[in-house]
Amino acid sequence: MRQWTCGTVVVLDLVGPFAGPDVLVLRRSLTTALALRSVPLVVLNARRAGEIDPEALLVIAAAGRYAREAGGRLIVAARPGAARPLDDVETRDTLEEALAELVRTKP
């Protein structure tokens, strides 16, 4: 997983499957990304993600709720077509669409 910024947006590139111990890495990375700004704007770029297990989906959903409660947003971009729907999580088809959405609605 790689973290980078685009202006005020923190982007996490998800690479490979997220199951078992990888879920802890995801949780830690999301916690760090959400804490970088008082109003968190985060994109999870899932273009190169493999399987995302149910526990990882719960972590992503909780991070999305936290971002909204803090006045920010979390968007999952380029969710693999075979992946399960992400309940209560915003999605966009591409990283570019997600970044444009956050820049357009920036608090």
Side-chain angles (χ1 to χ4, degrees), residues 1-24:
M1 181 172 332
R2 182 174 75 103
Q3 178 178 308
W4 53 282
T5 59
C6 181
T8 59
V9 179
V10 178
V11 179
L12 294 174
D13 289 323
L14 305 180
V15 179
F18 283 87
D22 296 322
V23 176
L24 295 175

Side-chain angles (χ1 to χ4, degrees), residues 49-101:
E51 176 186 350
I52 300 175
D53 81 2
E55 186 179 351
L57 294 176
L58 291 173
V59 168
I60 294 169
R65 282 189 300 277
Y66 175 86
R68 281 191 306 280
E69 289 169 3
R73 293 170 73 185
L74 180 141
I75 298 176
V76 175
R79 180 174 58 90
R84 293 178 34 196
L86 299 168
D87 294 335
D88 202 28
V89 174
E90 288 186 77
T91 60
R92 296 294 180 273
D93 290 335
T94 67
L95 173 61
E96 292 77 14
E97 288 176 21
L99 290 172
E101 174 69 17

